[in-house]
Amino acid sequence: MIEIATSPTTTTLVIAGELDLQERDQFPGIAARVVGLRRQLLVIDMCRVTFMDSTGAAFLISLADSGAKRGGATVIRGADERDLFVLEVCGAMDLFRIDNEHRCEPATPATGFHMVTPRMNATDRVDRRAI
């Protein structure tokens, strides 16, 4: 899922889930909307991206390239090392500013509950897959 938010100077894409070959059909429409907004700054929020392949990277690269041709900048925030590695392998890191200060909100609100691990006796066996 990709959501677009705008302010007078910034377009923000909030991406959740997979950014890959399977999602490519939506990329042209989103790219057209983003380019049509003509904002100087594009912020790509990747806090909730679960997987990105080279198709997803190509989508981000095309957005950054379009912005750079108009004199704009593209910032990536919340990307994990794996996603940044994909962009690096594609030779595209120079198209992006990386926001290392951003801290992602938790995917679910804090409940106040803590996981309790059972006490074990020496004779107890625990299936770790169930914990």
Side-chain angles (χ1 to χ4, degrees):
M1 176 179 72
I2 301 176
E3 295 178 351
I4 301 173
T6 61
S7 75
T9 59
T10 306
T11 298
T12 302
L13 287 183
V14 179
I15 305 170
E18 296 180 357
L19 192 60
D20 60 5
L21 182 64
Q22 191 171 3
E23 302 298 321
R24 75 172 184 249
D25 291 343
Q26 66 179 327
F27 295 164
I30 292 168
R33 287 181 58 199
V34 169
V35 170
L37 292 168
R38 305 189 66 79
R39 301 300 195 270
Q40 286 297 88
L41 180 62
L42 172 61
V43 176
I44 301 171
D45 185 316
M46 296 182 64
C47 290
R48 291 189 173 72
V49 171
T50 56
F51 176 76
M52 180 176 75
D53 67 5
S54 60
T55 305
F59 169 62
L60 299 183
I61 291 165
S62 70
L63 292 174
D65 188 50
S66 294
K69 287 179 181 174
R70 291 189 325 274
T74 302
V75 175
I76 292 181
R77 68 181 185 201
D80 66 21
E81 294 297 319
R82 179 192 65 232
D83 298 329
L84 295 176
F85 177 74
V86 173
L87 292 169
E88 184 177 346
V89 167
C90 293
M93 290 302 291
D94 60 328
L95 290 172
F96 302 96
R97 296 180 190 168
I98 307 302
D99 180 353
N100 293 316
E101 303 296 318
H102 179 77
R103 296 293 172 250
C104 302
E105 294 291 325
T108 58
T111 62
F113 291 99
H114 301 282
M115 183 174 172
V116 177
T117 55
R119 289 188 177 173
M120 293 177 32
N121 296 325
T123 58
D124 289 343
R125 298 184 72 197
V126 174
D127 183 355
R128 292 277 178 211
R129 293 172 292 175
I131 294 180

